[in-house]
Amino acid sequence: MPTLSALSQRYGPLPPADLEWLQLLTGDWQVLSDLAFADLVLWLPSEGGFVAIAQCRPSTGSTVYDDDVVGSVASPRQCAQLQAALDERRPLRLRSSWGPSTATAPWPSTSVVWSAPDRQPHWYGDFAVREEVVPVVHDGRPVAVMSRHANVGGARTPSRLELNYVEAADDMVGMVARGEYPLPVSRAGSGSPRVGDGMMRVDAEATVLYVSPNALSCLHRLGVQDDPVGRSLVDISAALVGLEVGKAPPMLSKAPWWVDVESHGVTVAVRGLPLTEDGDLTGAVLLCRDVSELRRRERELVTKDATIREIHHRVKNNLQTVAALLRMQSRRVTSSDARAALTEAMRRVATIALVHEALSQNPDETVDFDDVVRLVLRLTADAAACENQVSTVLEGTFGHLCAKGATALALVLTELVTNAVEHGFADGGSGTVRVVVDRDDDQLQVEVVDDGRGLTDGPGDGLGTQIVSTLVANELGGSIVWRSGPQGGTSVVIQMQVCLSRDEPVG
């Protein structure tokens, strides 16, 4: 199914600012759908009619549309209503035969104009539906139309909760028609409260008008035992955080807000959605949710990540200590072979330490391998070049790798570059060792190529070659090929699949 952006460009096209406004609306209209107990459909005027470009179903009631209507074209009857909303720039509600006084109708008639021409009920399947069309206004211009459709087939008296929900929805519908909703800086964070989690209504002076049962439970867990209705939300919040009544900061503003309230070991996330009329603040809808367990788990994850980073830091320190001991030992041995073996061991340990140093600075167990490989190349070339003037060059980017893949690949590159410097330029002279990287999503090809003397009897069977072959096959799950370079020298090509997280296998 095409996205809202694709549909709007196909049937519009819309200016970028208007498209962003519609995306902001559909990104936060679940609140409106849940408060209204209604399906919402966003219609875009196109040549000769209207096209549905977005749809939202309520989580507080039954849906009208079982099928997806996005991409469908409005019927002639719907087009007339949608066009009327655009022309008159105000919400229009269809007046059906059951009328506004029906006990099942939760929508009040205030701030809404009843359209007289069509007085017959509209049926979808086996149930009747009340419809309303609302112009979506941006910068004083209607750019689209939002329709809401509520199932009114059940014959019963609406509850106090339903009436308060729908009254709040009507206030927000009026804001949509005046270009005051969606709220430009509204945001939803971790554990974002939904309408069903708990809802409160307050007036412009922050006096509590209504508290849903779930919201009342949240207040009780925070320690508010008295009936909050009729009390000032500012005084309630002041008592919760230990401030004197009258000294708490204002709770309401024209901008939406979000706060975590903690008291008695309970954390409640509160999201404030201001209600305005022609720019004047008239009240707010507060959504609240008990997020105590969620915040506890988040704190545990933060602690766990900090512990993991500390472990990597200590491992890095220990490995650097081991490398220093090997370096000291190599200076005291008289055998040149022993000194070379200790130097190689020191270089391998130092390479692993570089990876752990990078992991100690990253909370998600991944490594920016480009930073690591530059240090590896510098360390390897400096240690192995001796009197030769050999430079190392990195072409391309590795990106981020998981810890397991980064450690193995760093060791492989250390061995290959060391081998290229020590054996490719064993006769002296200067040259270049290039590490060429080609990454396509999770596929990685690395070529280490030098312009030295080239292969004579193949890669050999030394310890370095064995380490490289074992790591590539077992740890990286890839393949490796040694061959002569196109203009002399040696080329070693590694192909592997990249692991992107700590839980993925490397090969």
Side-chain angles (χ1 to χ4, degrees):
M1 180 61 64
T3 62
L4 182 149
S5 177
L7 288 171
S8 63
Q9 293 303 313
R10 179 188 304 175
Y11 296 103
L14 288 174
D18 291 345
L19 175 59
E20 183 179 357
W21 186 257
L22 296 183
Q23 290 173 330
L24 190 62
L25 171 65
T26 56
D28 202 26
W29 67 348
Q30 186 66 55
V31 173
L32 181 54
S33 177
D34 290 343
L35 288 172
F37 303 96
D39 290 73
L40 303 180
V41 181
L42 185 63
W43 300 90
L44 184 68
S46 62
E47 185 175 350
F50 289 81
V51 177
I53 60 174
Q55 176 184 4
C56 181
R57 295 183 176 90
S59 60
T60 53
S62 59
T63 181
V64 170
Y65 298 111
D66 292 329
D67 297 330
D68 195 348
V69 301
V70 174
S72 63
V73 179
S75 66
R77 179 188 65 83
Q78 290 174 317
C79 285
Q81 299 173 18
L82 297 171
Q83 188 61 50
L86 276 182
D87 295 339
E88 299 187 28
R89 299 190 181 185
R90 54 183 176 179
L92 298 176
R93 184 173 302 157
L94 178 66
R95 185 172 185 175
S96 303
S97 61
W98 53 80
S101 61
T102 304
T104 61
W107 292 353
S109 58
T110 58
S111 75
V112 180
V113 177
W114 293 90
S115 61
D118 192 346
R119 301 179 58 88
Q120 296 301 316
H122 299 285
W123 296 84
Y124 291 89
D126 298 330
F127 51 87
V129 174
R130 175 171 291 114
E131 299 177 329
E132 180 184 1
V133 288
V134 182
V136 179
V137 176
H138 179 228
D139 285 341
R141 300 175 292 101
V143 296
V145 182
M146 181 183 71
S147 62
R148 69 175 183 176
H149 313 260
N151 180 358
V152 293
R156 64 177 181 81
T157 302
S159 66
R160 185 164 173 249
L161 179 145
E162 291 173 319
L163 290 174
N164 277 276
Y165 273 22
V166 175
E167 286 177 9
D170 278 345
D171 290 339
M172 297 176 74
V173 163
M175 293 173 63
V176 172
R178 292 188 296 270
E180 300 172 341
Y181 189 92
L183 303 168
V185 294
S186 177
R187 75 171 182 89
S190 174
S192 176
R194 298 161 297 184
V195 171
D197 294 324
M199 190 273 279
M200 301 171 58
R201 293 180 64 200
V202 298
D203 62 15
E205 285 73 36
T207 301
V208 179
L209 303 177
Y210 173 76
V211 180
S212 73
N214 285 344
L216 187 61
S217 297
C218 289
L219 292 177
H220 285 171
R221 295 187 187 103
L222 288 172
V224 179
Q225 300 302 326
D226 297 333
D227 185 5
V229 177
R231 297 178 57 189
S232 170
L233 186 64
V234 177
D235 295 342
I236 294 175
S237 63
L240 288 176
V241 298
L243 296 176
E244 294 184 19
V245 174
K247 294 186 177 181
M251 292 292 295
L252 299 186
S253 68
K254 294 182 181 180
W257 49 272
W258 172 293
V259 66
D260 280 355
V261 181
E262 298 186 12
S263 181
H264 295 78
V266 175
T267 304
V268 174
V270 182
R271 184 185 180 201
L273 300 174
L275 302 177
T276 58
E277 185 172 354
D278 296 326
D280 297 327
L281 185 66
T282 59
V285 172
L286 309 183
L287 307 180
C288 55
R289 176 186 177 187
D290 186 345
V291 293
S292 303
E293 183 63 18
L294 177 62
R295 295 293 181 263
R296 183 188 67 81
R297 293 180 180 179
E298 289 177 347
R299 286 191 291 269
E300 287 182 352
L301 288 175
V302 171
T303 302
K304 178 181 177 181
D305 289 338
T307 302
I308 291 175
R309 291 198 299 272
E310 178 63 21
I311 291 173
H312 285 304
H313 180 71
R314 295 188 181 186
V315 170
K316 181 263 298 184
N317 289 342
N318 292 337
L319 290 174
Q320 287 180 337
T321 301
V322 173
L325 292 174
L326 292 172
R327 185 183 300 108
M328 293 172 60
Q329 186 67 36
S330 68
R331 294 171 181 171
R332 285 166 172 77
V333 298
T334 57
S335 171
S336 59
D337 291 340
R339 186 182 300 110
L342 289 172
T343 301
E344 289 182 0
M346 179 272 297
R347 185 165 55 247
R348 291 162 185 154
V349 172
T351 298
I352 301 175
L354 288 176
V355 176
H356 282 280
E357 181 177 11
L359 288 170
S360 68
Q361 301 172 2
N362 199 332
D364 59 0
E365 284 288 279
T366 61
V367 177
D368 186 353
F369 198 72
D370 295 295
D371 294 336
V372 174
V373 78
R374 290 187 184 95
L375 295 175
V376 168
L377 293 178
R378 187 181 306 120
L379 173 67
T380 303
D382 291 345
C386 298
E387 297 180 356
N388 300 338
Q389 298 297 319
V390 180
S391 60
T392 56
V393 178
L394 174 63
E395 300 178 7
T397 58
F398 287 90
H400 282 77
L401 304 180
C402 67
K404 182 180 179 181
T407 303
L409 187 57
L411 283 172
V412 168
L413 292 178
T414 297
E415 297 299 328
L416 293 178
V417 174
T418 300
N419 183 73
V421 174
E422 291 183 345
H423 300 287
F425 302 95
D427 298 333
S430 60
T432 303
V433 178
R434 295 185 299 120
V435 178
V436 183
V437 186
D438 182 13
R439 179 170 178 175
D440 183 11
D441 196 14
D442 62 344
Q443 299 298 319
L444 180 66
Q445 176 179 297
V446 184
E447 182 180 11
V448 179
V449 58
D450 64 74
D451 52 5
R453 65 181 183 179
L455 293 172
T456 56
D457 300 324
D461 56 356
L463 179 59
T465 302
Q466 294 178 18
I467 291 175
V468 169
S469 299
T470 301
L471 289 175
V472 171
N474 298 338
E475 296 294 325
L476 300 177
S479 62
I480 182 169
V481 176
W482 279 269
R483 61 194 180 194
S484 297
Q487 298 178 351
T490 304
S491 172
V492 184
V493 179
I494 301 170
Q495 291 184 330
M496 56 175 285
Q497 186 174 3
V498 177
C499 67
L500 303 177
S501 70
R502 71 181 78 177
D503 300 322
E504 291 184 35
V506 179

